[in-house]
Amino acid sequence: MTATVLDGKAVFATIKDELRARVARLAEQGVVPGLGTVLVGDDPASKWYVGAKHRDTAELGINSFRHDLPASATQAEVEAVIDQLNADPAVTGFLVQQPTGLDEFALLSRVLPTKDIDGLHPMNLGKLVLGEDGPLPCTPIGCIELLRRYDVPLDGAEVVVVGRGLTVGRPLGLLLTRRSENATTTLCHTGTRDLAAHVRGADVVISAAGRPGLITRDMVKPGAAVLDVGVSRVDGKIAGDVDPAVAEVAGYLTPNPGGVGPMTRAMLMANLVTLAEQQAASR
Ligand SMILES: Nc1nc(=O)c2c([nH]1)NC[C@@H]1CN(c3ccc(C(=O)N[C@@H](CCC(=O)O)C(=O)O)cc3)C=[N+]21
């Protein structure tokens, strides 16, 4: 038995087709969505992610506005770029690529909540807690969407999330326990005494710890769905949190690369098109 591949790249291709149709309808109303990105410094991985996002927009007929700043950029300089993107009506939504090395909370708070396609503005995270509609964080909804497209049930399922970071683990817990997802969710982290015991009971495991090989074959319940969000680098290559031998016992497994990464970009594009539709409707 070998696990069914949760092919994020293939699902992204399908989602691109769906989005192209929505972009075409917006074009009939004279609206072209616009993505803004702010990148600080020259971390090669961050550069690649931002570059990939701009290739995605080009493929979808979405405008893009790229602001790359040197590592020496100050808080005030980055905030000035945020102000400019907030004020530009051609920019539907934008994100500040993390990490910046600056005061992240101040930067996140400065983005107009209505242009926050990352769903990480305190207002939007608050809406998530309160159960109000708003843009949702891309990697967490990417995980949920990937499971949905492969008919992996979440309703009543035991889900173990490994990691409590702002962009993945923390919001995933909030999303999975909503009535619409209805999963019983355990959030594990570096303080968890017996990780293996928790993972063993899980129908779905989502690991976003950034520790290569953390999830091993012996920890996984046969038939479980395993999503690998880890993007550590070992010898210049992507190393996930999930040991490859997990494929021998899991029912479903994301490749890495080719799993959650493309789904994150898919949800970013979807959030952007949704915002453009909302802005078009309220004109
Ligand atoms: N404000 C903000 N928003 C983000 O969404 C955000 C961020 N900051 N900081 C960094 C993380 C990381 N991230 C990835 C997106 C796509 C891939 C991706 O598509 N990876 C490809 C290939 C990777 C490769 O081959 O190098 C894959 O998994 O197949 C990976 C990682 C978004 N992030």
Side-chain angles (χ1 to χ4, degrees), residues 33-81:
L35 170 76
T37 62
V38 183
L39 173 67
V40 180
D42 38 34
D43 173 62
S46 296
K47 273 188 165 163
W48 188 90
Y49 302 145
V50 170
K53 287 163 189 174
H54 289 280
R55 289 196 292 280
D56 296 338
T57 56
E59 274 186 46
L60 292 172
I62 291 172
N63 289 332
S64 69
F65 304 87
R66 182 171 177 165
H67 295 263
D68 290 6
L69 288 86
S72 59
T74 63
Q75 184 83 22
E77 282 164 354
V78 178
E79 289 181 359
V81 174

Side-chain angles (χ1 to χ4, degrees), residues 48-49 53 95-98 118 120 231 233 238 256-259 261-262 264-265:
W48 188 90
Y49 302 145
K53 287 163 189 174
L95 62 94
V96 182
Q97 184 74 16
Q98 293 182 331
D118 259 347
L120 298 177
V231 282
R233 268 165 217 263
I238 287 192
N256 190 1
T264 298
R265 283 156 47 205

Side-chain angles (χ1 to χ4, degrees), residues 176-259:
L176 288 165
T177 49
R178 296 185 301 185
R179 214 170 276 278
S180 53
E181 269 61 40
N182 231 18
T184 301
T185 308
T186 306
L187 204 57
C188 296
H189 44 72
T190 46
T192 299
R193 214 173 294 141
D194 191 348
L195 179 65
H198 288 288
V199 173
R200 258 180 217 120
D203 304 306
V204 177
V205 182
I206 305 178
S207 187
R211 299 236 327 258
L214 178 67
I215 308 298
T216 52
R217 187 200 143 110
D218 58 295
M219 293 162 74
V220 173
K221 176 157 96 179
V226 181
L227 277 68
D228 188 354
V229 191
V231 282
S232 310
R233 268 165 217 263
V234 175
D235 303 327
K237 278 180 64 183
I238 287 192
D241 289 353
V242 178
D243 190 281
V246 165
E248 296 160 20
V249 290
Y252 299 85
L253 178 63
T254 56
N256 190 1

Side-chain angles (χ1 to χ4, degrees), residues 36-197:
T37 62
V38 183
L39 173 67
V40 180
D42 38 34
D43 173 62
S46 296
K47 273 188 165 163
W48 188 90
Y49 302 145
V50 170
K53 287 163 189 174
H54 289 280
R55 289 196 292 280
D56 296 338
T57 56
E59 274 186 46
L60 292 172
I62 291 172
N63 289 332
S64 69
F65 304 87
R66 182 171 177 165
H67 295 263
D68 290 6
L69 288 86
S72 59
T74 63
Q75 184 83 22
E77 282 164 354
V78 178
E79 289 181 359
V81 174
I82 292 174
D83 292 348
Q84 186 190 327
L85 291 165
N86 279 340
D88 187 346
V91 176
T92 310
F94 66 100
L95 62 94
V96 182
Q97 184 74 16
Q98 293 182 331
T100 56
L102 298 167
D103 180 348
E104 217 81 78
F105 182 76
L107 297 180
L108 288 171
S109 304
R110 202 168 181 104
V111 175
L112 268 182
T114 50
K115 288 196 174 192
D116 169 37
I117 39 167
D118 259 347
L120 298 177
H121 185 284
M123 169 74 85
N124 290 323
L125 285 173
K127 281 186 167 180
L128 171 54
V129 173
L130 293 164
E132 296 289 322
D133 283 339
L136 297 170
C138 300
T139 303
I141 44 166
C143 292
I144 291 171
E145 185 64 24
L146 188 57
L147 291 168
R148 190 178 296 143
R149 300 244 174 184
Y150 280 86
D151 293 319
V152 177
L154 282 172
D155 193 341
E158 295 286 335
V159 181
V160 164
V161 175
V162 188
R164 56 185 154 193
L166 165 72
T167 50
V168 189
R170 184 70 69 198
L172 250 178
L174 295 169
L175 284 162
L176 288 165
T177 49
R178 296 185 301 185
R179 214 170 276 278
S180 53
E181 269 61 40
N182 231 18
T184 301
T185 308
T186 306
L187 204 57
C188 296
H189 44 72
T190 46
T192 299
R193 214 173 294 141
D194 191 348
L195 179 65

